[in-house]
Amino acid sequence: MDVTLPPPIMVASGLLPTGSLLESLIQICNEVTTVEKIPITQYKNVSSMIRRIKLLSSLFEEIQETNTQLPPSSILCLTELYSVIRRVKSLIQACKEGSCLWNLVRSESISNQFYVIVKEMSRALDILPLSLLKIAADTREQVELLHKQVKRVDLLVDSKEIQRREELLQVMMSSSSKSSKSKGVTDFEKVKVIMTQIGLKTPINYEEEISKLEAEAEKQAGTGGLIVVSNINNLISLVSLSKSMVFNKEDHKTTQDEFLHRYSQQHHYPSSQSMVINIPDEYRCPISLDLMRDPVIVASGHTYDRVSIAQWINSGHHTCPKSGQRLIHMALIPNYALKSLIHQFCQENNIPLSDPATSSSSSSHIERSPSMKRKLPEKAVDHISATKAAMDTVKKTAEFLVGKLAMGSIDIQRQAAYELRLLAKTGMDNRQIISEAGAIPFLVTLLSSNDPRIQENAVTALLNLSIFDNNKVLIVAAGAIDSIVDVLGSGKTMEARENAAAAIFSLSIIDDYKVIIGSRPKAIPSLVGLLRDGTTAGKRDAATALFNLAVYSVNKVNVVVSGAVPLLIDLLMDDKAGITDDALAVLSLLLGCSEGLEEIRKSKVLVPVLIDLLRFGSPKGKENSLTLLLGLCKDGGDEVARRLLMNPRGIPSLQSLAADGSMKAQRKADALLRLLNRCCLQSSKPVE
């Protein structure tokens, strides 16, 4: 039967229905604008955003009332606005449901998220064809005014919130110094005022805030963000202390005289010092129920007394006693804020203090963090990155760890590299400080270590450091590329090889380094080897690194020669691998060289796979599938074109994308349909 291809469907040639989209827009606008209670933190940003969305809601309702079809450009704008408003809803909900104190600490970061969304709203309104919409003049003027406002809006950071945060940090800093009792009361009064300002007024408010902070700490735990977890635990300690001082609490089951009696027996203090004073639960170790002398934070984010948790770990346990969560590392991070509060409590109640060194002596045989063995400045009570004290602490810690990398034993080097790896994972400031401390050359040297963990920690630390662009230059200048390529090809653990691939991806973001890395004989073959043998994460790291390198034309040939094409095609059919889009992106790049085109055309299974991806793939996957099919059908690709025409799902899939795909997919589908139509005409077999 003769088949004729219909003309390509051009979206601009007709009008599209708008009912369901407008209904969705109006509904989500109502959800945002009818929020019951605006959060105290980010009040100005949330209020401004709600006012903007109320105005847009009026526009959507008026468009719906006209009951007319809209031109495609307005459909695109409305779709973009729907995406923006969904993000607004999520951000407001996060501000409402999250911890007030943690939101206060992250004020600039959250404000920047609102700013980014406003700019996205501005870009969406740029393509709104107001002149083509049948709306009232006053509505048009209001939308135009909104458009002008969002185009020139600046980042809004509430100065009052910043002032509250600074006052909070000052109180936490001052609590570390040896202050008089009266000063401690004055500091507490400031905290009480701040708590009231952010809405903590009743015991229930305090309990809810503690629960939210604990949830945030648990969320951050397990990702290696030890400093972030420490920050949150400092805040939990502060809220707990404030609650115990503001509100009357029920008597504890264990009274202070029982504690002092037990304590005096252990430390030979006179029993006359025993007085009935309630010890806050927050100051007791969850294991021993005694007052903590040296509180430390474990990987799960919970705090224990060092002696008790050390005994727990020494007895063979690798889980958190309180949560049961498996500990991803055994580092014990001092909780300086809680320790300071406990010491202040002891001084005010005449409870004798012991030397922390003696209290932790029983745990000395645990491999402890070198940075924790070193006495840090007393002013470094909280590690919140916004403060100068935090930066000073990170700087001194980094310098100390670098010294251990240079001159320590293998065990110390292993631990120091591990802690630098974690420290480099937590922020750009830390990455800059670590590099300025001179860590990079020593980490590069450790890439050749025979110890598997040292090598793994070193390459991962370099990966984390390379996220900061200036460090990319320093890493390459230190001669790291050859060593990273060696780890990639023959690393002692699979994780080391995979993180080496990720490091190559990070470094190859800089164009000059694409050339340098690609010129190493083992680099691309080793990435292809990882593409074949790695875990799911490793294959993804290898594919993304190959994509970056293949942007440079000379590297394309090396990727093809190294045997990447058959592996990439196999990965398209491997649902478990989960890297279909990455594999498609690399194959699309390899079309740019004749060797790649020839190798890809050899595959007999590729065309059916690509047709399936046109139907079921991600938006990006559909675009790359079209790129591949278009490239394969051009310039002598008659055989591929015939296979595409013979597949019963081929033409319908292309027609569907030409009508409903993304802008890029529509263009490519139209081009491919025209090419196939010409192919049919030339072969005297017109397609209907």
Side-chain angles (χ1 to χ4, degrees):
M1 181 179 68
D2 293 338
V3 183
T4 303
L5 276 173
I9 300 175
M10 302 302 292
V11 178
S13 62
L15 301 175
L16 300 176
T18 63
S20 58
L21 177 57
L22 285 170
E23 288 176 5
S24 299
L25 279 165
I26 293 170
Q27 180 181 350
I28 198 169
C29 284
N30 288 336
E31 291 173 1
V32 173
T33 56
T34 57
V35 60
E36 291 183 0
K37 184 179 178 182
I38 297 177
I40 294 177
T41 53
Q42 296 297 322
Y43 183 89
K44 289 186 177 180
N45 276 315
V46 173
S47 300
S48 299
M49 194 64 79
I50 289 176
R51 285 196 298 271
R52 295 182 185 112
I53 292 175
K54 280 183 179 178
L55 194 154
L56 289 175
S57 180
S58 301
L59 171 67
F60 303 146
E61 290 172 358
E62 187 166 340
I63 293 174
Q64 188 182 47
E65 289 172 1
T66 62
N67 197 26
T68 58
Q69 292 178 318
L70 300 178
S73 56
S74 62
I75 297 293
L76 178 60
C77 171
L78 295 178
T79 304
E80 291 294 325
L81 286 173
Y82 180 76
S83 175
V84 168
I85 297 170
R86 282 184 60 189
R87 290 186 59 192
V88 171
K89 177 186 173 184
S90 298
L91 186 53
I92 293 176
Q93 189 172 0
C95 289
K96 280 188 62 180
E97 297 177 356
S99 158
C100 296
L101 275 177
W102 190 235
N103 287 344
L104 187 66
V105 169
R106 298 171 56 247
S107 183
E108 288 101 334
S109 174
I110 299 174
S111 296
N112 188 63
Q113 292 180 53
F114 277 104
Y115 175 73
V116 170
I117 292 177
V118 172
K119 287 304 177 184
E120 290 180 359
M121 182 183 293
S122 171
R123 286 192 289 271
L125 291 173
D126 284 342
I127 57 174
L128 179 63
L130 280 174
S131 59
L132 301 180
L133 300 180
K134 296 179 180 179
I135 55 177
D138 58 339
T139 303
R140 180 178 287 104
E141 289 176 2
Q142 289 179 348
V143 174
E144 289 174 346
L145 180 60
L146 172 65
H147 188 195
K148 291 177 182 178
Q149 289 174 344
V150 295
K151 282 182 75 72
R152 62 171 183 263
V153 73
D154 293 323
L155 176 65
L156 174 58
V157 181
D158 193 338
S159 58
K160 290 183 179 179
E161 289 187 11
I162 299 301
Q163 182 181 352
R164 289 172 194 162
R165 186 188 67 183
E166 293 305 316
E167 289 174 353
L168 178 68
L169 299 182
Q170 287 172 9
V171 169
M172 296 178 72
M173 292 287 291
S174 64
S175 66
S176 65
S177 60
K178 293 182 179 180
S179 58
S180 65
K181 185 173 180 179
S182 62
K183 182 176 177 181
V185 172
T186 303
D187 289 346
F188 168 71
E189 289 301 323
K190 289 183 181 178
V191 174
K192 182 180 177 182
V193 170
I194 295 170
M195 297 296 183
T196 303
Q197 288 174 339
I198 64 173
L200 304 186
K201 299 177 181 179
T202 68
I204 295 177
N205 296 150
Y206 277 76
E207 290 294 344
E208 289 176 349
E209 179 67 11
I210 292 171
S211 298
K212 290 175 181 178
L213 285 168
E214 288 175 343
E216 185 66 34
E218 224 170 289
K219 176 182 172 184
Q220 296 288 343
T223 63
L226 298 180
I227 293 179
V228 175
V229 173
S230 177
N231 297 343
I232 299 170
N233 277 278
N234 292 336
L235 294 173
I236 292 173
S237 302
L238 186 64
V239 177
S240 299
L241 174 65
S242 300
K243 176 178 176 288
S244 66
M245 297 183 72
V246 173
F247 305 104
N248 292 327
K249 300 178 66 178
E250 296 182 359
D251 292 337
H252 295 283
K253 294 179 181 179
T254 306
T255 59
Q256 179 68 16
D257 58 337
E258 292 172 343
F259 163 75
L260 285 177
H261 175 69
R262 181 167 62 251
Y263 188 87
S264 63
Q265 287 181 334
Q266 294 174 354
H267 298 276
H268 309 290
Y269 288 106
S271 60
S272 61
Q273 292 180 356
S274 299
M275 63 185 86
V276 181
I277 300 175
N278 287 333
I279 303 174
D281 286 335
E282 297 79 17
Y283 296 171
R284 295 176 183 271
C285 174
I287 298 175
S288 67
L289 300 181
D290 288 338
L291 182 69
M292 288 186 281
R293 320 303 297 185
D294 189 8
V296 293
I297 305 167
V298 297
S300 66
H302 293 289
T303 296
Y304 301 92
D305 188 68
R306 186 184 292 276
V307 174
S308 299
I309 193 64
Q311 291 173 350
W312 170 267
I313 294 173
N314 280 344
S315 63
H317 297 92
H318 297 90
T319 57
C320 171
K322 194 170 182 179
S323 67
Q325 179 181 346
R326 184 168 183 81
L327 302 176
I328 63 170
H329 58 75
M330 299 300 142
L332 305 179
I333 309 300
N335 191 333
Y336 289 107
L338 181 58
K339 184 175 182 179
S340 175
L341 294 171
I342 290 173
H343 281 202
Q344 183 178 343
F345 172 81
C346 291
Q347 289 173 354
E348 292 176 354
N349 292 280
N350 296 321
I351 299 174
L353 297 169
S354 62
D355 183 0
T358 62
S359 67
S360 60
S361 59
S362 64
S363 64
S364 60
H365 55 290
I366 289 184
E367 182 186 22
R368 290 173 54 190
S369 159
S371 62
M372 298 308 122
K373 293 177 184 176
R374 188 172 187 246
K375 182 177 177 63
L376 295 175
E378 288 187 348
K379 288 187 178 180
V381 174
D382 72 295
H383 297 280
I384 298 174
S385 59
T387 67
K388 183 178 183 299
M391 294 299 99
D392 291 341
T393 301
V394 173
K395 181 179 180 182
K396 291 178 181 179
T397 303
E399 290 171 350
F400 179 74
L401 292 173
V402 171
K404 294 303 179 184
L405 286 182
M407 304 185 341
S409 65
I410 290 179
D411 288 341
I412 290 176
Q413 285 181 330
R414 185 189 305 116
Q415 185 67 24
Y418 176 74
E419 293 205 27
L420 284 171
R421 165 185 178 174
L422 294 183
L423 196 61
K425 191 176 181 179
T426 55
M428 290 297 183
D429 289 336
N430 290 355
R431 294 173 187 127
Q432 182 177 359
I433 289 170
I434 292 170
S435 66
E436 290 173 352
I440 289 174
F442 294 109
L443 290 169
V444 172
T445 301
L446 292 179
L447 292 176
S448 304
S449 172
N450 291 323
D451 184 281
R453 294 303 167 198
I454 290 179
Q455 184 186 72
E456 181 183 304
N457 290 334
V459 73
T460 309
L462 288 169
L463 163 62
N464 293 339
L465 289 171
S466 70
I467 297 172
F468 182 57
D469 285 342
N470 289 351
N471 286 346
K472 291 180 173 66
V473 178
L474 297 176
I475 290 170
V476 173
I481 288 180
D482 288 328
S483 298
I484 292 174
V485 169
D486 288 341
V487 175
L488 171 65
S490 55
K492 300 186 182 302
T493 67
M494 182 57 72
E495 185 175 349
R497 292 180 61 194
E498 292 172 352
N499 288 341
I504 285 177
F505 165 76
S506 178
L507 294 173
S508 62
I509 289 174
I510 296 179
D511 289 340
D512 290 346
Y513 298 160
K514 291 179 175 66
V515 181
I516 296 173
I517 295 170
S519 67
R520 299 304 194 266
K522 296 180 181 178
I524 290 176
S526 296
L527 286 170
V528 174
L530 187 62
L531 197 65
R532 179 182 58 249
D533 303 326
T535 65
T536 297
K539 290 176 179 178
R540 181 176 292 107
D541 290 333
T544 53
L546 286 171
F547 177 85
N548 259 12
L549 295 177
V551 170
Y552 181 57
S553 57
V554 174
N555 291 336
K556 288 185 175 70
V557 178
N558 292 335
V559 173
V560 175
V561 171
S562 298
V565 170
L567 293 173
L568 292 167
I569 293 174
D570 288 342
L571 288 171
L572 295 180
M573 299 178 287
D574 187 353
D575 293 335
K576 293 182 179 179
I579 60 168
T580 301
D581 286 353
D582 300 302
L584 281 171
V586 179
L587 287 169
S588 298
L589 275 180
L590 297 181
L591 279 177
C593 68
S594 57
E595 294 85 353
L597 179 59
E598 182 180 353
E599 189 68 23
I600 294 171
R601 276 179 176 166
K602 290 179 182 178
S603 174
K604 301 298 183 183
V605 299
L606 182 59
V607 171
V609 172
L610 293 178
I611 292 173
D612 286 340
L613 290 172
L614 291 181
R615 302 169 65 207
F616 306 116
S618 68
K620 192 65 178 176
K622 292 176 181 179
E623 291 174 5
N624 281 326
S625 297
L626 286 167
T627 299
L628 280 165
L629 288 170
L630 193 57
L632 291 171
C633 291
K634 284 181 177 179
D635 302 326
D638 295 342
E639 175 62 27
V640 177
R642 279 193 292 271
R643 275 186 270 163
L644 181 55
L645 287 166
M646 291 173 62
N647 191 301
R649 297 186 299 273
I651 299 302
S653 298
L654 291 173
Q655 291 172 337
S656 175
L657 286 173
D660 302 322
S662 67
M663 296 295 289
K664 187 179 292 186
Q666 288 178 14
R667 290 197 302 270
K668 291 182 178 181
D670 286 342
L672 187 51
L673 286 169
R674 287 194 295 269
L675 190 151
L676 292 174
N677 197 23
R678 288 198 300 271
C679 179
C680 292
L681 293 174
Q682 290 171 1
S683 61
S684 299
K685 295 180 180 180
V687 182
E688 294 180 356

